[in-house]
Amino acid sequence: YVLGQVSSSLGKAMAPAAPLARLFRTTAPPVLVPVPGGNKKRKRAEGEKVSEDQSLSVIQEPLVKAKKARKKERSEAEKKLLERENALEQADEEEDQKSSQNKTKQKEKAFQAVTKSVVNSASGATAKQRKIKRVEDEAADRRTVFVGNLPVNCTLKVLKSLFKKYGQIQSIRFRSLIPAEDTVSKKVAAIKHKVHPNAKFVNAYVVFKEECDAQKALNENGTEIASGFHIRVDTASKTSSHDNKRSVFLGNLPYDICDDAVREHFHVCGDVVGVRVVRDWRTGLGKGFGYILFENTDAVHLALKLNNSVLMGRKIRVQRVVDKRKAQKSPDKSRAPKNRVDKKKKEKSCSNDSFVGEKAIPLKKSTKPKRLKTTPKSKAGKIK
């Protein structure tokens, strides 16, 4: 409500409105009168405050210094603690690094051990497999017969009919075929019979099912299978021994020579067991040397007399077959250096009249001092 509305409403209701209206009148603001001597009190209060501040500052200064000293002491102690903590952390880090390195080394060692075991097991398995294969190959070689100096037109049927009387044949393989074209392989040339026109002979391998049958088949060595073709039959195993005492080496042979030509040339010396002319496996031409195996050692002495004899327009060289292993073990004495002279021969070469001086050995001087002979006093005073 507004002040006038309240007073009018109350005045209407009640007759004496004058005292009630006084209550709602605004009073005048109080008047402030300045009192003399107030500045002095303020100045005193300010002076007292300054003195109090000075006294507080004087009291607080040593406290601040003590706090600073305490802070310095704390800071030095904290530094030491920090240094110790850092040293401990570094030591812990080094230990962790060492432990991690040791763990990695142990892992590497374990991995290497595992790999070595795997490699050893694999190598052991491969070695066993190789050994088994080697044994199987050796057994197969003992059952295999090599047949050399066969005519080019020889077929499987002819070869099988020749050797089937000795036992059951497992397989027959032709080798040393020279194809008519360089692009054709030897296998295709053997199947399609596309052989070089200058080729005159081939070789073959006959595999029996039993080893004893292969040994019986060696009786066919030297048989004439066709005109001018005496076959050479031998075991395919490496253990087959070749008698060097009954053999001779042939050098400077013609490159296009046949085995039968060599056989005919040395047939005068004795019975020829086998002829082997070393040939190139690609072209089939001879390399200029070969071997002859005789029945007896007496034929070797007669064959050596045919050294420098002419065979197909060339002087051939005939020598004994020397085992290379024995030659290496016992070297020839004639190849010894000339400067090396035996001491015994030197002594024998010297004449009896020649004087041979010897170094004199000086006598050892005795270091012991000589004792002087002294006569006793009783004997010294007597006059004889």
Side-chain angles (χ1 to χ4, degrees):
Y1 294 100
V2 183
L3 182 62
Q5 290 178 356
V6 174
S7 63
S8 63
S9 63
L10 290 171
K12 288 176 182 180
M14 298 177 69
L20 187 62
R22 289 176 184 172
L23 295 171
F24 294 97
R25 288 179 185 176
T26 57
T27 56
V31 180
L32 298 173
V33 181
V35 180
N39 293 328
K40 291 180 181 179
K41 288 181 181 179
R42 286 182 183 174
K43 286 180 181 178
R44 285 178 185 174
E46 288 177 357
E48 287 176 358
K49 286 179 181 179
V50 169
S51 61
E52 286 177 0
D53 292 335
Q54 287 177 356
S55 61
L56 287 170
S57 64
V58 171
I59 294 164
Q60 286 176 356
E61 279 179 1
L63 293 171
V64 170
K65 288 181 181 178
K67 286 180 180 179
K68 285 182 181 179
R70 286 176 186 175
K71 283 182 181 178
K72 284 182 181 179
E73 289 176 358
R74 286 178 185 175
S75 62
E76 289 177 358
E78 286 175 355
K79 284 180 182 178
K80 289 180 180 179
L81 287 170
L82 288 170
E83 287 177 357
R84 288 178 184 176
E85 288 176 357
N86 293 326
L88 290 170
E89 286 177 358
Q90 288 180 356
D92 292 335
E93 288 177 358
E94 288 177 357
E95 286 180 358
D96 293 335
Q97 287 178 357
K98 286 180 181 179
S99 61
S100 62
Q101 288 177 358
N102 292 328
K103 285 179 181 178
T104 51
K105 285 180 180 179
Q106 288 175 0
K107 286 181 181 178
E108 287 177 357
K109 286 180 180 179
F111 180 72
Q112 288 176 359
V114 171
T115 51
K116 280 182 181 179
S117 63
V118 171
V119 169
N120 290 329
S121 62
S123 62
T126 53
K128 285 180 181 178
Q129 289 175 359
R130 287 175 186 172
K131 193 175 181 180
I132 291 164
K133 191 177 180 181
R134 196 186 305 152
V135 171
E136 289 176 355
D137 292 341
E138 288 176 358
D141 289 341
R142 286 194 295 270
R143 293 185 290 106
T144 306
V145 170
F146 171 80
V147 184
N149 198 29
L150 289 168
V152 178
N153 55 4
C154 183
T155 59
L156 287 168
K157 192 175 181 180
V158 174
L159 203 59
K160 195 171 184 179
S161 63
L162 181 65
F163 287 100
K164 69 179 181 181
K165 58 186 175 183
Y166 296 106
Q168 196 172 358
I169 296 170
Q170 186 176 350
S171 64
I172 296 172
R173 304 189 304 271
F174 283 101
R175 292 290 181 269
S176 305
L177 283 166
I178 304 166
E181 298 175 359
D182 294 337
T183 56
V184 180
S185 63
K186 291 185 177 183
K187 189 175 182 179
V188 174
I191 294 166
K192 295 184 177 181
H193 299 285
K194 291 184 178 181
V195 187
H196 199 274
N198 294 330
K200 297 178 182 178
F201 59 89
V202 292
N203 300 324
Y205 288 96
V206 181
V207 183
F208 291 90
K209 286 192 174 180
E210 299 295 334
E211 187 179 344
C212 58
D213 298 337
Q215 295 296 325
K216 292 175 186 177
L218 298 177
N219 295 326
E220 291 293 329
N221 184 32
T223 58
E224 191 174 1
I225 194 171
S227 60
F229 288 95
H230 291 80
I231 61 173
R232 179 167 61 91
V233 183
D234 194 6
T235 55
S237 62
K238 295 179 181 179
T239 56
S240 60
S241 59
H242 184 78
D243 193 359
N244 293 330
K245 293 179 181 179
R246 294 187 292 117
S247 304
V248 291
F249 170 81
L250 305 177
N252 198 28
L253 293 172
Y255 296 113
D256 56 346
I257 195 168
C258 299
D259 293 356
D260 280 358
V262 179
R263 184 185 288 272
E264 289 176 3
H265 187 74
F266 287 92
H267 184 68
V268 185
C269 303
D271 295 333
V272 179
V273 176
V275 177
R276 183 193 170 198
V277 178
V278 180
R279 301 180 185 275
D280 187 9
W281 64 276
R282 292 180 180 176
T283 60
L285 294 172
K287 292 186 177 181
F289 64 95
Y291 300 91
I292 297 178
L293 179 65
F294 292 100
E295 189 71 30
N296 300 316
T297 55
D298 297 335
V300 175
H301 298 287
L302 296 173
L304 292 172
K305 292 179 180 179
L306 293 176
N307 187 25
N308 293 326
S309 62
V310 179
L311 177 62
M312 295 178 66
R314 301 188 73 168
K315 287 185 177 182
I316 61 172
R317 189 170 68 255
V318 184
Q319 294 176 352
R320 287 183 179 273
V321 178
V322 182
D323 193 359
K324 291 182 180 179
R325 294 176 184 176
K326 290 181 180 179
Q328 287 176 0
K329 286 180 181 179
S330 59
D332 192 3
K333 292 181 180 179
S334 62
R335 293 183 182 178
K338 294 179 181 180
N339 296 329
R340 191 183 293 173
V341 182
D342 197 0
K343 290 181 180 180
K344 292 181 181 179
K345 290 181 180 179
K346 261 189 178 181
E347 290 176 2
K348 288 180 181 178
S349 63
C350 298
S351 61
N352 295 326
D353 297 332
S354 61
F355 175 76
V356 180
E358 292 182 358
K359 190 176 180 181
I361 301 168
L363 295 171
K364 291 182 180 180
K365 294 181 179 180
S366 58
T367 55
K368 292 180 180 180
K370 292 182 179 180
R371 291 181 180 179
L372 297 172
K373 291 182 180 180
T374 56
T375 55
K377 291 181 180 180
S378 59
K379 291 182 180 180
K382 290 181 181 180
I383 299 168
K384 292 181 180 179

